[in-house]
């Protein structure tokens, strides 16, 4: 791939030279740094790049320019190169304009002038923007290729695993892509062998498990040590926060995740109310940043392994894995989060993975291009999914059991959904049936007021209802409430549960009924069920891990 371009735009010649100099010093080896003195000149530069098929990574424009303001220019760039990163250089007096541009044109960041010293004020911002751009534009030569069928559940699972672990891949449908059919024939593969996973410099994988895919890609599927200070079960926001704080404070730390770090939040196309990110960020971006932090401090990640039991072995806690050696640790943090509840309607189970999906990742939207898509749910996760799917789908319908969205969804999402002509909302409605020949083709809806049923054409159904905790594997030593969520802290001592605590000392906050085992995030009884609170509880759990370790 040609070196990606960075265009700087400023009508003040000394300022233009200064920012070009600073960017060239840091990024010139891997990027082309191009200067323009006006919006019109920068658009000409951009046009030449596009005609030559050369990538544009970033445009940094001053706000106050004659003829065309920075925001007007960046709006043109967003329309012509939607994936380019946009940086507005502005004075304090134009802050309101910059904030409006975040909503109006999708501005990625604004930077107050002057930016000296660049090591503190310019480079960290540009580093983040270029990192995001490069993650979204990996070179194709070393991509994993997945060959399969569009409506195959096994193909869907492999693609989801790769996407959630930020592994670039090329999807080749044997019915739509000649190259996919050619590769299938070259491999001598039949339907039982699909999907094929073609790893550069590796063996062809036929209908592989996620463990086999992870191993082929060099992802760690087994722990390295015999004993850890803390084992964190679950790699969502709570688990990753716990890993960052534990590892940074010198505790030997391992995270076990059955799928990929990020959890449900990692599948979100946009988290727009997370503190410190005025434009919002994707769940995948948040997860990737947290993973990098945790690994930087020395935390291990064990992927694609299911945890099947938790045992107390004297002062040690043992986490038992399916298909791998047990992990022993002096303390454990349960951060397994929740999964979406299954929708009970005839025909849905048979079509699971064949058009019917529970949750989705942001990249799945492109597969729905031009199709009829239905989403069930009324919480923020459903709202974010609907907005993301509407960018590609022919029609998107949100099905809601309640009377309105406002009772369960954040207002900013409700307003955006109402303003989007591509989205229809059906309140007081339920999905009561599904049918299709090999994949979803029709849904049956019922009006909860009248009882009238309607059959509609549907290619995809994404379900975002309720929350079921992943606690079936915990033994009787870990007390759960009537819904399966883990009970912690003072709730173990009295009140509604009676006494479920075995020691003379009171339990630490977040500590479960098994001393030395803590719960954080959505899996904990009475937790807030928000990304920010999960991060807070994951961080806080490490404080109590330290206090517990001091007692043994």
């Amino acid at each position: 791939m040609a070196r990606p371009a960075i265009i700087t735009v400023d009508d003040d010649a000394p300022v233009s030279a200064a920012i070009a100099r600073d960017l060239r010093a840091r990024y010139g080896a891997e990027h082309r740094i191009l200067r323009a003195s006006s919006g019109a000149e920068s658009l000409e530069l951009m046009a030449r790049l596009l005609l030559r098929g050369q990538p544009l990574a970033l445009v940094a424009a001053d706000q106050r320019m004659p003829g065309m303001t920075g925001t007007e220019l960046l709006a043109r760039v967003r329309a012509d190169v939607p994936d380019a990163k946009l940086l507005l250089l502005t004075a304090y007096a134009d802050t309101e304009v910059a904030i409006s541009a975040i909503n109006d044109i999708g501005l990625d960041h604004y930077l107050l002038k002057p930016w000296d010293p660049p090591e503190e004020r310019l480079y960290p911002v540009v580093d983040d923007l270029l990192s995001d751009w490069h993650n979204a534009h990996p070179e194709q030569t070393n991509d994993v290729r997945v060959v399969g069928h569009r409506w195959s559940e096994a193909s869907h699972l492999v693609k989801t695993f790769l996407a959630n672990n930020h592994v670039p891949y090329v999807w080749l449908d044997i019915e739509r892509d000649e190259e996919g059919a050619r590769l299938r024939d070259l491999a001598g593969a039949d339907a039982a062998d699909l999907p094929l996973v073609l790893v550069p410099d590796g063996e062809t994988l036929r209908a592989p498990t996620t463990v086999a895919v992870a191993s082929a890609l060099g992802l760690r599927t087994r722990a390295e040590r015999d004993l850890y200070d803390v084992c964190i079960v679950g790699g969502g926001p709570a688990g990753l926060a716990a890993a960052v704080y534990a590892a940074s404070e010198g505790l030997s730390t391992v995270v076990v995740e059955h799928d990929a770090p990020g959890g449900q939040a990692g599948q979100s196309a946009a988290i727009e109310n997370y503190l410190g990110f005025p434009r919002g960020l994707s769940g995948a971006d948040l997860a990737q940043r947290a993973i990098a932090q945790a690994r930087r401090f020395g935390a291990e990640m064990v992927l694609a392994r299911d945890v099947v039991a938790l045992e107390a072995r004297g002062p040690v806690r043992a986490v038992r894995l399916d298909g791998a050696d047990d992990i022993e640790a002096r303390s454990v943090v349960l951060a397994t989060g929740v999964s979406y509840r299954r929708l009970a309607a005839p025909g849905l189970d048979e079509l699971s993975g064949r058009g019917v999906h529970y949750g989705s990742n942001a990249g799945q939207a492109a597969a729905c291009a031009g199709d009829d898509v239905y989403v069930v749910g009324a919480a923020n996760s459903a709202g974010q999914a609907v907005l993301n799917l509407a960018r590609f789908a022919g029609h998107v319908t949100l099905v809601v059991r309640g009377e309105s969205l406002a009772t369960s969804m954040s207002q900013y999402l409700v307003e955006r959904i109402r303003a989007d002509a591509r989205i229809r909302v059906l309140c007081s409605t339920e999905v009561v049936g599904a049918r299709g020949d090999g994949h979803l083709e029709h849904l049956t809806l019922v009006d909860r007021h009248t009882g009238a049923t309607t059959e509609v054409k549907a290619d995809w159904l994404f379900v975002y209802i309720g929350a079921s905790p992943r606690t079936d594997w915990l033994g009787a030593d870990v007390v759960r409430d009537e819904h399966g969520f883990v009970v912690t802290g003072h709730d173990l001592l009295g009140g509604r549960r009676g006494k479920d605590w075995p020691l003379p000392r009171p339990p630490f906050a977040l500590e479960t009924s098994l001393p030395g085992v803590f719960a954080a995030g959505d899996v904990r009884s009475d937790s807030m069920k928000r990304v920010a609170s999960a991060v807070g509880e994951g961080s806080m759990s490490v404080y109590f891990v330290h206090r517990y370790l001091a007692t043994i």
Side-chain angles (χ1 to χ4, degrees):
M1 185 171 67
R3 285 190 302 162
I6 297 173
I7 297 178
T8 71
V9 193
D10 201 309
D11 65 317
D12 186 324
V15 174
S16 176
I19 191 168
R21 177 200 65 219
D22 289 342
L23 291 174
R24 190 171 288 111
R26 176 94 165 194
Y27 308 105
E30 297 180 355
H31 302 79
R32 298 177 62 198
I33 312 300
L34 305 176
R35 288 172 55 188
S37 59
S38 68
E41 184 182 348
S42 67
L43 291 176
E44 292 177 5
L45 274 176
M46 183 177 71
R48 288 201 295 271
L49 291 173
L50 295 178
L51 288 172
R52 295 171 182 169
Q54 296 174 342
L56 174 60
L58 172 72
V59 178
D62 182 55
Q63 169 60 11
R64 297 191 179 190
M65 295 187 296
M68 185 184 299
T69 66
T71 51
E72 290 171 342
L73 165 63
L74 295 178
R76 295 277 299 275
V77 176
R78 176 64 77 217
D80 293 338
V81 191
D83 54 356
K85 295 298 179 181
L86 308 182
L87 174 63
L88 186 68
L89 305 175
T90 184
Y92 182 80
D94 295 321
T95 300
E96 288 300 320
V97 173
I99 292 174
S100 296
I102 292 173
N103 294 322
D104 296 341
I105 66 171
L107 179 70
D108 292 289
H109 209 286
Y110 67 90
L111 188 64
L112 297 179
K113 299 193 297 184
W115 57 84
D116 287 331
E119 291 78 10
E120 295 180 11
R121 302 192 58 191
L122 176 66
Y123 295 154
V125 171
V126 177
D127 282 350
D128 269 357
L129 295 177
L130 291 179
S131 175
D132 289 348
W133 188 90
H134 282 284
N135 286 335
H137 298 80
E139 294 191 37
Q140 300 296 308
T141 53
N142 291 319
D143 277 357
V144 173
R145 289 173 293 170
V146 181
V147 179
H149 189 281
R150 184 187 190 200
W151 302 115
S152 161
E153 182 176 12
S155 296
H156 170 72
L157 291 174
V158 166
K159 290 191 293 178
T160 299
F161 179 79
L162 292 173
N164 289 350
N165 280 284
H166 314 288
V167 177
Y169 71 91
V170 175
W171 164 245
L172 298 168
D173 190 321
I174 58 172
E175 294 187 350
R176 295 184 168 192
D177 302 303
E178 291 184 6
E179 179 67 4
R182 186 183 74 85
L183 291 172
R184 175 200 59 191
D185 294 341
L186 283 174
D190 57 24
D193 293 324
L194 298 179
L196 301 175
V197 179
L198 309 177
V199 180
D201 302 321
E203 296 293 327
T204 297
L205 305 180
R206 299 170 184 263
T209 64
T210 53
V211 173
V213 174
S215 298
L217 295 171
L219 302 178
R220 184 171 294 158
T221 60
R222 295 177 181 274
E224 288 192 344
R225 299 184 182 218
D226 295 327
L227 180 67
Y228 294 84
D229 290 321
V230 59
C231 174
I232 300 163
V233 184
L240 291 173
V244 168
Y245 277 84
S248 68
E249 293 171 10
L251 298 178
S252 56
T253 304
V254 62
V255 179
V256 184
E257 169 56 49
H258 75 101
D259 179 25
Q264 275 192 2
Q267 300 176 12
S268 177
I271 303 172
E272 298 189 65
N273 56 359
Y274 193 73
L275 182 67
F277 292 86
R279 188 174 177 253
L281 75 169
S282 71
D285 187 20
L286 178 63
Q288 200 164 24
R289 291 167 185 259
I291 294 164
Q293 275 185 299
R295 285 180 170 154
R296 173 192 165 203
F297 291 121
E300 290 182 31
M301 300 276 177
V302 174
L303 302 177
R305 292 294 185 189
D306 285 321
V307 179
V308 296
L310 175 65
E311 295 179 357
R313 299 175 181 172
V316 169
R317 306 292 177 251
V319 174
R320 296 182 56 193
L321 306 183
D322 183 19
D325 295 335
D326 299 349
I327 297 177
E328 292 190 338
R330 298 196 295 152
S331 64
V332 171
V333 175
L334 305 177
T336 50
V338 295
S339 57
Y340 295 113
R341 291 207 308 265
R342 309 288 287 188
L343 188 61
L348 288 180
D349 285 346
E350 294 82 355
L351 296 172
S352 180
R354 297 175 171 84
V356 175
H357 301 284
Y358 292 85
S360 65
N361 59 56
Q364 246 176 302
C368 304
D371 291 342
D372 293 313
V373 177
Y374 282 73
V375 176
V376 176
N380 283 5
S381 55
Q384 290 158 351
V386 162
L387 290 167
N388 185 48
L389 291 163
R391 297 165 53 221
F392 297 91
H395 302 91
V396 179
T397 301
L398 179 59
V399 180
V400 181
R401 290 182 77 251
E403 299 294 327
S404 74
L405 286 177
T407 57
S408 55
M409 189 179 292
S410 294
Q411 187 60 31
Y412 76 93
L413 287 172
V414 175
E415 291 174 356
R416 289 179 60 192
I417 289 170
R418 287 173 176 167
D420 197 323
R422 301 164 297 183
I423 299 172
R424 176 179 60 153
V425 180
L426 296 179
C427 292
S428 302
T429 305
E430 292 185 63
V431 173
V432 294
R435 65 181 179 89
D437 183 10
H439 62 88
L440 178 65
E441 294 175 317
H442 294 90
L443 291 173
T444 302
L445 309 179
V446 64
D447 186 306
R448 300 186 70 225
H449 290 312
T450 66
T453 60
T454 307
E455 186 169 86
V456 296
K457 179 182 179 297
D459 300 296
W460 302 85
L461 174 68
F462 296 97
V463 180
Y464 295 84
I465 57 170
S468 297
R470 297 171 177 170
T471 57
D472 293 343
W473 57 278
L474 292 172
D477 288 340
V478 177
V479 173
R480 280 94 79 193
D481 66 17
E482 59 273 20
H483 301 294
F485 293 92
V486 177
V487 179
T488 59
H490 66 83
D491 287 339
L492 295 167
L493 296 178
R496 69 179 191 275
R497 293 213 49 88
K499 186 173 181 180
D500 291 310
W501 177 247
L503 298 182
R505 70 164 175 86
F508 298 118
L510 306 185
E511 193 168 19
T512 72
S513 56
L514 181 57
V517 176
F518 301 82
D522 290 0
V523 74
R524 193 179 64 81
S525 182
D526 290 332
S527 62
M528 186 176 171
K529 310 297 187 288
R530 285 288 187 269
V531 174
S533 63
V535 169
E537 289 192 6
S539 307
M540 188 169 66
S541 70
V542 177
Y543 169 71
F544 295 112
V545 164
H546 279 296
R547 293 184 64 183
Y548 168 75
L549 293 178
T551 69
I552 62 173

